[in-house]
Amino acid sequence: MDEPGIGVGRLLLALDATLASLAAAPRGLDVAIASVALIDPDDLHLPLHASARDADLFLMVGVDADDVVGWLSGLGPRMPVAVMLKSPSPAAVSHIADLSVAVIDVDPHARWERIYRMVLRVLDASESAQLGAESMQAGGIGDLFELAAEVARRTGGLVSIEDARSHVLAYSSAGDEADELRRLSILGREGPPEMLAWLRQWGVLDALRTTEALVSVDERHELGLRPRLAISIRAPHADGVGDYLGAIWLQQGRSRFADNTPDILLGAAAVAARIISRRRSAGSGHDELVRRLLGARGDTIDAAFLGAQLGIAPDVDVLAVAFGGLLTDPTVSTPMPAMVSALTLHASAFSPLSVTTTIGPRAYVVLPAAEQEATVAWARSAVAAARRQFGVGARAVVAGPATGLASVPTVRMQADRVLDAAQRESDLIEAVTTVSASTTGVLLGEIVALIEDNPELIDARVLDLAQRDEESGSDLTRSLRAYLDHFGDVRAAATALHVHPNTLRYRIRRIQELTGMDLDDPATRLVVALTLRVPRTPPAG
């Protein structure tokens, strides 16, 4: 059997010169790459999961090339086959090559997420071919990249396959024949606005979305647009025109299209529809498996079945990380799928065995065979990355470790319990924490919730004091809470309130006179402190 993976040279051909070029290959182009991991600046300082540390290809996201040299030098004898960098200096390329590591120079405009997904697709296609996997078609085409390459070979054109949102899913190799629209689309950027405006004005985009007819686009030199054909991809539908799934674009290169190009494109659209539909089903199926693993369908799970489906040993020790606030911040306009995708990539870089999904407004990552300390450090970097990339203030709770996949629903519920408590006692629970470190905040939050649900447990003297504040504009309630939170230390409480200590002393005496509270009594202080933490419903009207 062939060596697992794909050679450096073949990977570069699959990615195309539009995205990446070879800067150095000290061990040649045939060294195989079978695994990939994303590394960002935070990861340089984290103890990576073993499977991530042993990846054959590292995508160095936002990492300075000079820092890569030092980081690689510290990995020990297990060096990667290659690293991907954006615009590395000649000196950095030379130093990395001295470590027998190939350097792939990535176009500075390319999106790392797209590069990562394309590398995974190329590796998956290579693995399927080596295992002799049954293809989706009798003709042997089971992957969109294979389809794009076959259509390009038979038509003599340059192929790109897009989804319904005009994101490139696959493409054929192009060399230097690609025009500006194709180049920018592959890089993950929108084409020039005036070019897209012309396509709309010509009715091309509307035609693709509303009909199954072949659409022709004429050459336009001033826009850098070469002649091309396009055809819509539609879900198979017995009653007529199916849902729009995307389009196949065929750009003319140096030679004319083959005579039977329209027939080839019609067949290719049907094949693409089956592949995309099957990929969608597989994706939703994977999410459902992970949700079942987390206990979304009941606390008792079939660990052996789910482990086999997800490629995780059922008896492995596991940690679960629950993220709150990532998907619910009303001030953030970034779509949820983009944030979940970013979290999935970040988790895969830390541990390729990880699985990620969402349940309601929360995101969850299950990490097999991970260490708690390293996972907490990773969770901090994930929360920091969410703030940098999306402006989201998220929380993360690490639960576990626990033995076996059967324990995942339990550790998820433990993490949820902490996130629930953090909604009430955010001052006592860190933004990134573990279940054990949050015990006090969780118990206090649940006690306060119990008091809130049973109004007869609320100290009426505190309610009377709050009512007096509302009517007179005084600040006695806040002063009382600060006094109790600082254990009766007047100077510390006054500093927190930004008032003079004598002012606070006067307020405390006044509170005792008005309410009859004995704040020297420990039981009174406890009852009053708990009542002060119960959210007060504003009066109606």
Side-chain angles (χ1 to χ4, degrees), residues 512-535:
Q512 294 186 97
E513 291 171 359
L514 292 171
T515 63
M517 295 177 184
D518 179 8
L519 295 178
D520 292 327
D521 175 48
T524 298
R525 292 199 301 269
L526 175 60
V527 170
V528 171
L530 288 172
T531 300
L532 284 168
R533 287 184 173 273
V534 176

Side-chain angles (χ1 to χ4, degrees), residues 318-351:
V318 292
L319 289 160
V321 186
F323 290 87
L326 185 67
L327 313 177
T328 56
D329 190 332
T331 66
V332 177
S333 60
T334 304
M336 183 194 306
M339 289 193 240
V340 176
S341 178
L343 178 63
T344 301
L345 296 181
H346 200 66
S348 298
F350 175 64
S351 171

Side-chain angles (χ1 to χ4, degrees), residues 231-256:
I231 191 167
S232 63
I233 303 170
R234 298 189 176 278
H237 199 284
D239 298 330
V241 178
D243 293 337
Y244 178 70
L245 302 179
I248 300 176
W249 292 86
L250 182 66
Q251 181 212 306
Q252 183 174 307
R254 294 192 179 94
S255 57
R256 296 175 59 85

Side-chain angles (χ1 to χ4, degrees), residues 127-191:
E127 181 180 2
S128 296
Q130 289 170 349
L131 292 176
E134 182 178 323
S135 69
M136 299 178 192
Q137 279 287 94
I141 295 176
D143 176 81
L144 290 176
F145 275 95
E146 294 176 21
L147 177 62
E150 181 65 13
V151 173
R153 184 185 68 80
R154 295 176 63 183
T155 63
L158 285 61
V159 178
S160 58
I161 302 174
E162 297 181 353
D163 66 13
R165 294 176 297 169
S166 299
H167 293 164
V168 175
L169 300 174
Y171 55 87
S172 63
S173 296
D176 60 354
E177 299 180 48
D179 65 12
E180 192 69 0
L181 176 58
R182 175 186 168 89
R183 190 183 73 83
L184 292 176
S185 297
I186 290 175
L187 288 174
R189 309 292 178 182
E190 290 185 352

Side-chain angles (χ1 to χ4, degrees), residues 185-449:
S185 297
I186 290 175
L187 288 174
R189 309 292 178 182
E190 290 185 352
E194 64 273 19
M195 186 182 299
L196 295 178
W198 275 111
L199 290 175
R200 292 190 187 95
Q201 182 175 331
W202 295 333
V204 173
L205 301 183
D206 285 343
L208 286 173
R209 292 181 177 276
T210 58
T211 73
E212 296 179 288
L214 194 66
V215 179
S216 177
V217 181
D218 294 332
E219 184 172 19
R220 197 170 185 93
H221 292 290
E222 67 273 21
L223 295 178
L225 187 67
R226 293 187 180 180
R228 58 193 355 97
L229 297 173
I231 191 167
S232 63
I233 303 170
R234 298 189 176 278
H237 199 284
D239 298 330
V241 178
D243 293 337
Y244 178 70
L245 302 179
I248 300 176
W249 292 86
L250 182 66
Q251 181 212 306
Q252 183 174 307
R254 294 192 179 94
S255 57
R256 296 175 59 85
F257 295 136
D259 292 339
N260 61 341
T261 290
D263 292 335
I264 294 172
L265 286 177
L266 283 170
V271 175
R274 286 191 283 272
I275 294 174
I276 292 173
S277 297
R278 179 163 174 170
R279 180 184 292 176
R280 283 184 173 183
S281 298
S284 60
H286 174 83
D287 283 346
E288 177 60 23
L289 288 171
V290 180
R291 291 189 180 104
R292 287 169 59 185
L293 176 65
L294 286 159
R297 300 292 180 268
D299 298 344
T300 302
I301 64 171
D302 187 339
F305 170 77
L306 293 175
Q309 294 296 309
L310 296 170
I312 305 172
D315 58 350
V316 70
D317 287 350
V318 292
L319 289 160
V321 186
F323 290 87
L326 185 67
L327 313 177
T328 56
D329 190 332
T331 66
V332 177
S333 60
T334 304
M336 183 194 306
M339 289 193 240
V340 176
S341 178
L343 178 63
T344 301
L345 296 181
H346 200 66
S348 298
F350 175 64
S351 171
L353 293 175
S354 66
V355 290
T356 304
T357 194
T358 60
I359 300 176
R362 291 174 180 170
Y364 300 87
V365 179
V366 178
L367 296 158
E371 297 179 355
Q372 187 185 68
E373 183 178 352
T375 300
V376 171
W378 169 78
R380 287 198 181 97
S381 71
V383 167
R387 184 172 296 278
R388 284 196 312 270
Q389 296 175 25
F390 305 115
V392 171
R395 286 182 170 274
V397 179
V398 179
T403 300
L405 294 185
S407 64
V408 172
T410 300
V411 295
R412 175 219 160 188
M413 286 189 289
Q414 292 171 348
D416 278 340
R417 188 181 176 198
V418 177
L419 288 178
D420 291 342
Q423 294 176 349
R424 296 178 175 275
E425 303 299 327
S426 59
D427 57 330
L428 293 181
I429 298 177
E430 298 289 335
V432 179
T433 187
T434 63
V435 170
S436 58
S438 307
T439 300
T440 298
V442 169
L443 293 176
L444 180 57
E446 292 178 351
I447 291 170
V448 170

Side-chain angles (χ1 to χ4, degrees), residues 1-64:
M1 179 177 282
D2 294 337
E3 185 179 359
I6 185 172
V8 173
R10 288 182 59 203
L11 176 63
L12 281 168
L13 286 174
L15 291 176
D16 193 69
T18 302
L19 288 174
S21 60
L22 185 66
R27 290 191 282 165
L29 298 178
D30 295 327
V31 185
I33 293 172
S35 57
V36 58
L38 265 169
I39 303 294
D40 65 23
D42 293 332
D43 295 324
L44 299 187
H45 311 292
L46 292 177
L48 293 178
H49 189 283
S51 52
R53 189 171 57 248
D54 292 343
D56 295 323
L57 173 65
F58 288 132
L59 276 59
M60 312 304 294
V61 181
V63 179
D64 185 85

